[in-house]
Amino acid sequence: MRLKQNFILGLIVITISLPLIGLAQEVVKPSEAITLALENNYGIKIANNNVEVAENNKGILNSGYLPTLTGNAAATFNRDNITAEFSNGNPPAVLNGAESSRYNANINLNYTIFDGLGRRYDYKRLKEEYNLSALQARETIENTVTQLLTVYYDVARRSENLKSLKETLDISNDRLTRSEYQFDYGQNTKLDVLNAEVDINNDSINIINAEQGLVNAKRDLNFVTGNTLDSEFVVDTTVTFLLQLNKDELLNKVYGNNVTLIQNEKNIAINEFTLKANKSGYLPTVGLVGTYGWNENNNNAASFVAVSTNTGLSAGLNLSWNLFDGGGTVTRVKNARINLENQKLQKEQLKLDVERNFNNAWDDYQNKLKIFQVQEDNIKTAKNNFVRTQEKFKLGQVTSIEFRQAQLNLLTAELSRNQAKYDAKLAEVLVLQISGELLNIQF
């Protein structure tokens, strides 16, 4: 009966494990996953499209510096009944159904020579908006890379945890076999066998839950990469820390490379150009107009001229000066000046905020490195304790409960070490992101 139960439990675990076992599983490294995300992540694609829109907007075709050219054409047909009385005493003339027609076509040119420098500053503003859009795309890329690495290392942690859980189950199975032999030879009680079976059940449940958690985490990773990964893949659990990082050097890079601070500087430039463009409303506008036209009139019989055709070219300058627009320009200038001041105040606030976040992230990174080192040392102690307890258990010098406790202590130490390792790596990623160096590092 016991063998049958163990066989069923083993079959369940193997069945759950099948989706994660492949003859040729693809090993995806962090750099490869990042490349896939940069090429296929939908959020990054949308950000890049927004950059293209901003690039179109900053082009000469949207600058206002080019003239406008319009063409017009028209045709008119009349059919009239006309009674004409003459002043020379001749009898009146009556025309029924007299036909006439008019045709015209012209091309009009309009060009603004001077608009108070408004379009000049608008053109510069559009260029800065393009730069801002590029920075926003970079921020999206940095956030996506951070999200990807978070999910990637979660998969790696769960993979290592699953390995530890399976090793624990192997030890529990060996313990059950030993307990059954000892019971058969009268060296222990039935209670030891039952305890071993209960522990196997718990270990199997832990594996089932860990398997499902790993599957979900892999789906999350595949989602970030745009579903480009094969259904069967494993990740690299090797973690290398950038221990050569220098806090002072990174802090100096924060002020020049942090994407949030740079975006704020672009917003300041945009508001400066907006203010100058609004001031152009105080100045006149000078424009050039030109027309080339063709007209043909086919008159009815009552007209003195039967057909007239004329073509001509006309050109001129116009000046428009809005001496008072009800205060609209004054209001726009005042509001633009206030918005500029707010951007400058926000810059100072952001500098303090980013500096604080960097210091917190750096300290957190250093603490997590220390915790990881402590957990590494704890693993050595837990393994040494387990090996000695295992030897004594085989000799009958410790109880099964004591052996199980040593086994769980080792498992807890391994799980804690895994958690500490990836927590430290993600803390390092955050430091790099805040300092603006995330995209300059090869993972």
Side-chain angles (χ1 to χ4, degrees), residues 175 192 195 199 385-386 389-390 392-393 396-409:
R175 172 186 157 205
D192 290 332
N195 285 336
D199 292 337
N385 177 64
F386 174 73
T389 304
Q390 189 177 40
K392 290 184 178 182
F393 177 70
Q397 297 177 356
V398 298
T399 64
S400 60
I401 295 177
E402 292 173 321
F403 175 77
R404 177 64 175 178
Q405 187 60 51
Q407 182 188 17
L408 292 178
N409 288 342

Side-chain angles (χ1 to χ4, degrees), residues 49-63:
N49 286 339
N50 291 336
V51 173
E52 287 191 27
V53 171
E55 185 175 11
N56 294 334
N57 288 337
K58 79 178 182 70
I60 189 66
L61 296 179
N62 192 48
S63 65

Side-chain angles (χ1 to χ4, degrees), residues 168-337:
T168 299
L169 178 60
D170 291 339
I171 295 172
S172 296
N173 282 323
D174 181 69
R175 172 186 157 205
L176 175 60
T177 301
R178 185 177 296 276
S179 297
E180 287 175 338
Y181 282 133
Q182 290 175 343
F183 175 71
D184 291 338
Y185 288 99
Q187 296 178 355
N188 64 12
T189 64
K190 181 69 172 178
L191 181 61
D192 290 332
V193 177
L194 294 176
N195 285 336
E197 290 179 346
V198 169
D199 292 337
I200 285 178
N201 290 338
N202 290 331
D203 293 341
S204 300
I205 291 173
N206 290 336
I207 289 177
I208 292 172
N209 289 331
E211 293 275 13
Q212 187 58 56
L214 179 57
V215 169
N216 293 344
K218 285 189 173 183
R219 289 196 185 105
D220 292 339
L221 179 59
N222 206 8
F223 173 79
V224 179
T225 60
N227 278 353
T228 55
L229 295 173
D230 293 335
S231 58
E232 298 296 335
F233 70 90
V234 294
V235 298
D236 187 2
T237 57
T238 303
V239 171
T240 303
F241 294 100
L242 303 175
L243 300 178
Q244 75 278 12
L245 294 177
N246 182 277
K247 181 181 180 180
D248 293 334
E249 291 179 359
L250 287 178
L251 185 57
N252 288 332
K253 291 181 179 180
V254 165
Y255 301 116
N257 295 341
N258 181 273
V259 69
T260 302
L261 292 180
I262 301 176
Q263 285 185 73
N264 179 258
E265 291 175 359
K266 295 303 177 184
N267 280 322
I268 290 176
I270 289 172
N271 278 275
E272 287 175 343
F273 290 133
T274 300
L275 174 60
K276 292 178 180 179
N278 286 330
K279 287 182 177 180
S280 67
Y282 295 132
L283 300 176
T285 299
V286 179
L288 172 67
V289 295
T291 301
Y292 179 80
W294 167 82
N295 293 275
E296 179 180 299
N297 294 320
N298 297 312
N299 301 314
N300 55 49
S303 300
F304 180 76
V305 178
V307 177
S308 67
T309 302
N310 65 75
T311 58
L313 177 66
S314 64
L317 288 174
N318 58 51
L319 182 144
S320 174
W321 198 336
N322 195 344
L323 300 178
F324 182 70
D325 62 354
T329 300
V330 173
T331 301
R332 286 191 295 271
V333 169
K334 287 182 177 179
N335 290 340
R337 187 174 286 114

Side-chain angles (χ1 to χ4, degrees), residues 25 61 79 91 96 105 125 143 152 235 250 269 309 326 391 438:
Q25 287 182 316
L61 296 179
R79 186 181 181 87
N96 293 321
R125 174 180 56 80
N143 290 336
Y152 182 93
V235 298
L250 287 178
T309 302
E391 292 174 353
L438 180 62

